[in-house]
Amino acid sequence: NAGVMQNPRHLVRRRGQEARLRCSPMKGHSHVYWYRQLPEEGLKFMVYLQKENIIDESGMPKERFSAEFPKEGPSILRIQQVVRGDSAAYFCASSPQGQGSSYEQYFGPGTRLTVT
Amino acid sequence: GQQLNQSPQSMFIQEGEDVSMNCTSSSIFNTWLWYKQDPGEGPVLLIALYKAGELTSNGRLTAQFGITRKDSFLNISASIPSDVGIYFCAGYPSRSKLIFGQGTTLQVKP
């Protein structure tokens, strides 16, 4: 059973460019979460999505950041007009359900974004 | 916002020693999760706790959900070099948002 897949693993962008990060959840999982991690810190929640719906985006900056999880295909985290402060590791996690007894989230290997 | 305080921040121990780390919250959590992260990788789920007072083991790892629902601890017995990494506690203040502690960096000397 394949785990959570993320690509690319490393992404370099110049200031002002757009960054697109992709996440394919584990088979059978319909809930996706995005987190950001700065060096020497824990992971910070950004957004929680189900297929075609954003459930909670309270951790995502209001400007330049957007996320989607279409009916077909991977979840996408998009960062427009990147700035140096966006440099971080971005992790995606998935779970079989977002409510009820199963709260276990399984993480992908992350995308390391560097803005030059 | 809600925070998880994890301690110690780092540990340097001898192979074979037992390790204990803990996590406290300012508010009640209904679920505690413990993860391990290796450099350059994503966190790997070690143990999930769902009930106050619950004690759960996974091999040499044991974790407990505090009775007050505001704390949890993780023990590693007879540490080995591959236990090296960063250990994170995490909990749900709401159903959708998982928050993480700052992490405990473990180094094991062979």
Side-chain angles (χ1 to χ4, degrees), chain A residues 9 33 35 37 40-43 45 48 55-56 58 91 98-110 112, chain B residues 31 33 35 37-45 48 50 86 88 92 94-103 105:
Chain A
R9 292 291 304 269
Y33 313 79
Y35 294 83
Q37 186 179 35
E40 312 289 325
E41 294 187 8
L43 283 75
F45 169 83
Y48 160 42
I55 307 301
D56 183 341
S58 59
F91 291 96
Q99 298 181 12
S101 61
S102 176
Y103 289 87
E104 297 172 13
Q105 294 187 21
Y106 296 88
F107 283 81
R112 275 132 193 98
Chain B
T31 302
L33 305 174
Y35 288 88
Q37 186 177 27
D38 291 328
E41 299 296 330
V44 174
L45 182 62
Y50 295 103
I86 304 177
F88 289 100
Y92 283 93
S94 67
R95 280 185 167 179
S96 58
K97 185 184 300 184
L98 187 63
I99 65 171
F100 281 76
Q102 308 97 313
T105 300

Side-chain angles (χ1 to χ4, degrees), chain B residues 37-82:
Chain B
Q37 186 177 27
D38 291 328
E41 299 296 330
V44 174
L45 182 62
L46 300 173
I47 292 180
L49 301 160
Y50 295 103
K51 293 181 183 178
E54 179 181 358
L55 187 71
T56 299
S57 293
N58 178 6
R60 293 178 297 104
L61 278 61
T62 301
Q64 184 157 29
F65 192 148
I67 292 177
T68 65
R69 309 179 80 90
K70 292 184 178 182
D71 62 337
S72 176
F73 72 75
L74 175 71
N75 283 347
I76 305 173
S77 62
S79 57
I80 58 178
S82 63

Side-chain angles (χ1 to χ4, degrees), chain A residues 5-70:
Chain A
M5 312 268 290
Q6 286 188 251
N7 68 80
R9 292 291 304 269
H10 299 274
L11 182 62
V12 179
R13 284 287 177 265
R14 290 199 182 101
R15 278 180 298 169
Q17 290 184 321
E18 178 179 286
R20 279 190 174 221
L21 289 62
R22 295 175 187 78
C23 169
S24 296
M26 285 179 72
K27 187 177 180 181
H29 288 192
S30 57
H31 301 260
V32 165
Y33 313 79
W34 285 93
Y35 294 83
R36 181 161 79 172
Q37 186 179 35
L38 295 172
E40 312 289 325
E41 294 187 8
L43 283 75
K44 297 287 194 293
F45 169 83
M46 297 180 74
V47 62
Y48 160 42
L49 312 103
Q50 295 177 20
K51 285 283 187 183
E52 300 185 281
N53 285 308
I54 296 175
I55 307 301
D56 183 341
E57 56 183 348
S58 59
M60 199 157 67
K62 295 282 186 278
E63 296 180 357
R64 302 188 299 108
F65 285 73
S66 63
E68 63 177 11
F69 189 17

